[in-house]
Every structure is written in structure tokens, then in C-alpha cells.
Amino acid sequence: GGDGIHAVESAEGGSFATYRLNAQANGTEGIVEYGAALNYFHTNGVSAADARNGNSETDGYGNFGATVNTRTHVTPWLSLDLRGYMTDARDDFDGFPPPTFTFQDDAEYARNRFYAGYAGLNADLLDGRFHNRVAVTSSLNDRKDFDPSQPLPLDFYAKGGDTTYEYQGVVDFSPEDELTFGAEDDRTTINSASPSSFDPHPSPLKASMRNDGYYAQMQSTLFRQLTLTGGVRYDDNDRFGSHASLKLAAAWQIPESGTTLHANYGDGFKAPTLFELFSEFSNPLRTLSPEVAHGWEAGVDQKLFGDVALVSLAYFNRRTTDEIDFFSCFGVVSPACKLRPFGYYDNIDRVRARGIEMAAILRPAEGLTLSANATWLDDVNLVTDTDLARRPHWQANADLRWQATDALSLGTTVEYVGRRFDSAGEFNPLAAYTLVNAYAAYDLGRGYELFARAENLADRHYQPVAGYGAEGRAVYGGIRAAF
């Protein structure tokens, strides 16, 4: 922040007994830069289980969060960062109560507390051309699920910890050439159990995992037009061994025609989480394998009529082996489901995701901006040749914004999500839906602003997930103050 103290506060309220409060401040005092924020959000929401199926109980959500950041300039070339973050949330949800064991209203809810801290020492050497950072990040997540209808309301808990030690160096050889390299040691832990009236004190699952990572990346710009990037990463996981990943990218800007050509290739590696490996939803027949992906993309950005319009087109293709997904056992008879009646995590042997992304920004008149984007996606299980669950073939968005006066801005958005299947194997189709929203803001001057928005103006009924409800028409408004 700048000298002195600066603050921004906002309050918002609207449909479904929704309100949001935010307050933040930042500034500089001597050698210390600082920032802090508090926020609270609450909504009664709608029924998680679709109200059109006879479910009338709303499932609310509340969240309190706080963060604080400081940077102390010990010397002109040495600084210390300290950051803290926490959230405390409660969310109501629905389940599968007896005797029908179908998705419907019940009184279940969850409490989730999250805490994170960061400490980093930054040193700029060689006249500011060699940037160094040594840091530690630690977080703790504490989640509890409750079912008040049971003799023992607490029916699940999980505590997860993560601590990362890292070093990163950045060398600016010149304004056009930059080398980034580093190493990190990441350790995760879990402590989880599901108490019940049959077993009120089960032995908790306790496990840990360690992953060491090393990386380097070089980026150079040639002839002030062609930017080349090459990077490598090496992961050493104590449960799944080592894996090397590669990243290559190029972007060529042609100022004379307003054209930018770009392409890249990248690998990916993701080890299963401890919960996926060892919880009551772990695979009963085999140990999960890590995901490995290889993908590439190529595209073009083109300016038209000066800066009046910008259009973009890109094609992407990614192949993944052993993609981790959740397999639901409801209505399924199999040896694995006899051992895991509620479902389990499994690997999908081979997956291909390919598609085309299109985008455009148009400024046809002073104060008027139209932006739109669309994605065609083909994401399939190559073994069964079927779509993966909840991947629509088409998605699109459009936004029309009008700066009507110096103080008043108005806009509307349209969101489209195409048909998709809720379950693997192309079962349980979900219908496409379109949402129309509107928003406005008015600058009152002296740092005050009024804002409002309306969502789902047509009161469209749709299911984002089979059996789940979504909010209908809603209106929100608030005020923001900066000083």
C-alpha cells in the first residue's frame, strides 16, 4: 500500500436472505507495508435436493474469513513477508436418509475451519538482477459433518495438514531473458474417521505423504517479437516414485498485422490424495495410480480495425492416463460395490480431451464493450468411447457493458451450458440451460459507489447436477466505500 492507511468497505444484500460484508485496509508505516481484510457471507440458499421433487427445506451457507499480510523492508535488498489466512464456514446439505435412501431433504450440515500461514525471506542480489526467496507455507483444514437425526450426530471428521518448504531464484539476464529455478519439499497429513452408533470410536485413518519437486524455466524474447519458454520439473514422491515433466511454449507477435501466434506443449503429474488412497471411499480392488497427462495447444489472436476488435481462436488436445475419478455404486451390482456400497475412487485408463476455444472483444462505440467466448469440448473415455460425466460439448458466455455516463455503468450477461451426462457411460442426461443476468453501478463520488445485480432473470429452472436444485431469479444490491 501507499503512504498512510487506505480502506475499502462494502455491504451487499438480497434474495434468499443473502448478505455479504467486507472490510479491507492497507498502507505503509515506515519500513512496513501491511494489508488486512475481514469478510462475512451468509445465505439461506435453496434446497440442495431439487425443490421440484418435493424438497422444501433450504440449505444455507455461512462463511467468515480474515487475512493479514505484512512486508518488512529490513534493508534495501532484503525483505520479510508474513501472511496469515483463516476461514470458518458452515454449510447445510441433503443426503440419502432411510427408508427410501433417495436424495432428499435432511438436516445434515458441515463445519469447516481452515488456517494457513506463510513466512518468506526475499533477497535481491547483483544490483537487483538476482531475486531469491526462501519460504515456508503451512495450512490446517478441520472438517466435521453432522447428522442431527442420528444418536451420534458427528458422523465424519477429517483433519488435514500441509507444510511446504521452498526456495525460488529468478535471474534477469536482460529485460528479454529470464531464468527461474527452485526446489520445494511438500508434506501432507490426514487424520479422519466416520463414527456411527455401530462404531462410535473407530480407529482413525492416519497417513502422510511427501513430495519433493525441482524445477527450472528459461524465457527469452528474440527480435522483440518471438518469446520462447522452456521448462522442466522433476517430482520425487515417497509413494509413487519420480516423474519428469516438460513445458515448451512460443508466442510470435507481428505488430504490422496485429497478429499473435502462440503454441505450447506440457506434461502433467498428479499423485492421488491421501483421502482418495485410504478413506472409506478408497479403491477396494487396486491401489490408485497417479495421473499423467500430455497436452498441447495452438492458436491465434487477431486485432481488427485498429483496436476496435480482437478475436481469438485456439485448439487444444490433452491425453491423460489413469485419470482419477469417483465411481458411484448407487444402483450398481459389482464385487467392488459390495465392499464400497457408496462408491469409490478409481482410475480411468485413457482419456482424451480436445476442443476449440473462441473469443472476441468488440468496442463498436464510445463506452460500449461487447465480449463473448465459446468452447467446444470433446472429453471422452477412450476405453469405452463415451463422454466423461458433466462435460458439456458446448459452453458460451456473452457480456454487453455500457458506460452510460461518467457515473453510471450498465451491463448484461448471457451464460449457456449445453447438454451433458450426469453419470459416466452416458447415463442420466442433463438438459442444456441459458441464464440471463444484469448488473449496474453508480458512482456517488467521494469514494462511494452503489451497485446492484439481477441473476437468472428468466427464473430458469435447471439442474447443475442430477437431483440438485439451483437458485431461481435473484436480486442483490449494495454499497462500496473507499477512503
Side-chain angles (χ1 to χ4, degrees), residues 301-468:
D301 301 340
Q302 180 65 56
K303 291 182 179 180
L304 300 173
F305 315 112
D307 290 331
V308 173
L310 173 66
V311 295
S312 302
L313 181 68
Y315 172 84
F316 61 89
N317 190 306
R318 183 185 70 248
R319 288 180 180 260
T320 305
T321 56
D322 294 320
E323 181 168 312
I324 300 170
D325 200 2
F326 185 80
F327 183 84
S328 175
C329 282
F330 285 101
V332 177
V333 178
S334 71
C337 288
K338 289 183 179 180
L339 300 172
R340 296 288 188 268
F342 298 106
Y344 57 92
Y345 291 98
D346 198 9
N347 289 117
I348 303 175
D349 291 338
R350 291 181 292 118
V351 171
R352 182 197 63 213
R354 61 181 179 180
I356 298 173
E357 294 182 332
M358 299 157 281
I361 300 176
L362 179 65
R363 299 179 179 87
E366 183 70 25
L368 194 63
T369 302
L370 172 64
S371 59
N373 63 76
T375 299
W376 172 79
L377 174 67
D378 180 37
D379 200 356
V380 299
N381 182 331
L382 291 176
V383 176
T384 61
D385 196 29
T386 55
D387 289 346
L388 294 188
R390 302 172 190 164
R391 268 72 158 188
H393 283 289
W394 281 100
Q395 283 185 273
N397 301 276
D399 180 283
L400 178 61
R401 180 171 304 191
W402 179 35
Q403 190 68 44
T405 68
D406 290 341
L408 177 64
S409 61
L410 305 169
T412 183
T413 65
V414 179
E415 306 171 28
Y416 172 79
V417 176
R419 294 181 67 253
R420 65 260 184 238
F421 296 96
D422 189 70
S423 304
E426 299 186 353
F427 295 106
N428 301 323
L430 293 172
Y433 63 88
T434 301
L435 303 179
V436 179
N437 313 306
Y439 58 90
Y442 187 80
D443 187 351
L444 297 172
R446 296 186 177 181
Y448 290 89
E449 181 186 56
L450 295 175
F451 57 90
R453 70 183 192 277
E455 299 180 349
N456 195 1
L457 283 170
D459 200 23
R460 178 68 186 271
H461 295 283
Y462 64 98
Q463 289 189 346
V465 177
Y468 283 76

Side-chain angles (χ1 to χ4, degrees), residues 160-412:
D162 185 279
T163 301
T164 301
Y165 301 91
E166 61 178 320
Y167 165 77
Q168 184 180 77
V170 179
V171 182
D172 297 322
F173 295 105
S174 71
E176 295 81 20
D177 303 289
E178 181 181 84
L179 172 66
T180 302
F181 60 94
E184 57 189 29
D185 174 80
D186 182 72
R187 307 182 188 196
T188 58
T189 61
I190 189 173
N191 181 343
S192 177
S194 297
S196 68
S197 56
F198 304 102
D199 188 5
H201 302 289
S203 298
L205 153 67
K206 293 184 178 181
S208 63
M209 188 182 333
R210 175 177 176 176
N211 190 90
D212 293 327
Y214 312 89
Y215 59 89
Q217 175 178 287
M218 184 68 191
Q219 179 172 297
S220 296
T221 300
L222 308 177
F223 319 116
R224 298 185 179 180
Q225 293 186 358
L226 179 62
T227 300
L228 302 176
T229 304
V232 293
R233 180 181 173 92
Y234 178 82
D235 287 284
D236 184 13
N237 188 282
D238 65 351
R239 293 186 179 273
F240 296 99
S242 59
H243 185 86
S245 303
L246 177 67
K247 176 74 172 182
L248 300 172
W252 182 22
Q253 294 181 311
I254 309 173
E256 296 80 8
S257 61
T259 306
T260 300
L261 304 174
H262 54 87
N264 72 68
Y265 169 86
D267 299 325
F269 167 78
K270 178 183 180 296
T273 67
L274 293 170
F275 188 82
E276 292 168 342
L277 286 171
F278 301 115
S279 72
E280 60 267 37
F281 302 105
S282 63
N283 195 300
L285 303 181
R286 62 174 180 172
T287 301
L288 287 178
S289 298
E291 293 183 7
V292 178
H294 309 276
W296 65 274
E297 69 174 54
V300 58
D301 301 340
Q302 180 65 56
K303 291 182 179 180
L304 300 173
F305 315 112
D307 290 331
V308 173
L310 173 66
V311 295
S312 302
L313 181 68
Y315 172 84
F316 61 89
N317 190 306
R318 183 185 70 248
R319 288 180 180 260
T320 305
T321 56
D322 294 320
E323 181 168 312
I324 300 170
D325 200 2
F326 185 80
F327 183 84
S328 175
C329 282
F330 285 101
V332 177
V333 178
S334 71
C337 288
K338 289 183 179 180
L339 300 172
R340 296 288 188 268
F342 298 106
Y344 57 92
Y345 291 98
D346 198 9
N347 289 117
I348 303 175
D349 291 338
R350 291 181 292 118
V351 171
R352 182 197 63 213
R354 61 181 179 180
I356 298 173
E357 294 182 332
M358 299 157 281
I361 300 176
L362 179 65
R363 299 179 179 87
E366 183 70 25
L368 194 63
T369 302
L370 172 64
S371 59
N373 63 76
T375 299
W376 172 79
L377 174 67
D378 180 37
D379 200 356
V380 299
N381 182 331
L382 291 176
V383 176
T384 61
D385 196 29
T386 55
D387 289 346
L388 294 188
R390 302 172 190 164
R391 268 72 158 188
H393 283 289
W394 281 100
Q395 283 185 273
N397 301 276
D399 180 283
L400 178 61
R401 180 171 304 191
W402 179 35
Q403 190 68 44
T405 68
D406 290 341
L408 177 64
S409 61
L410 305 169
T412 183

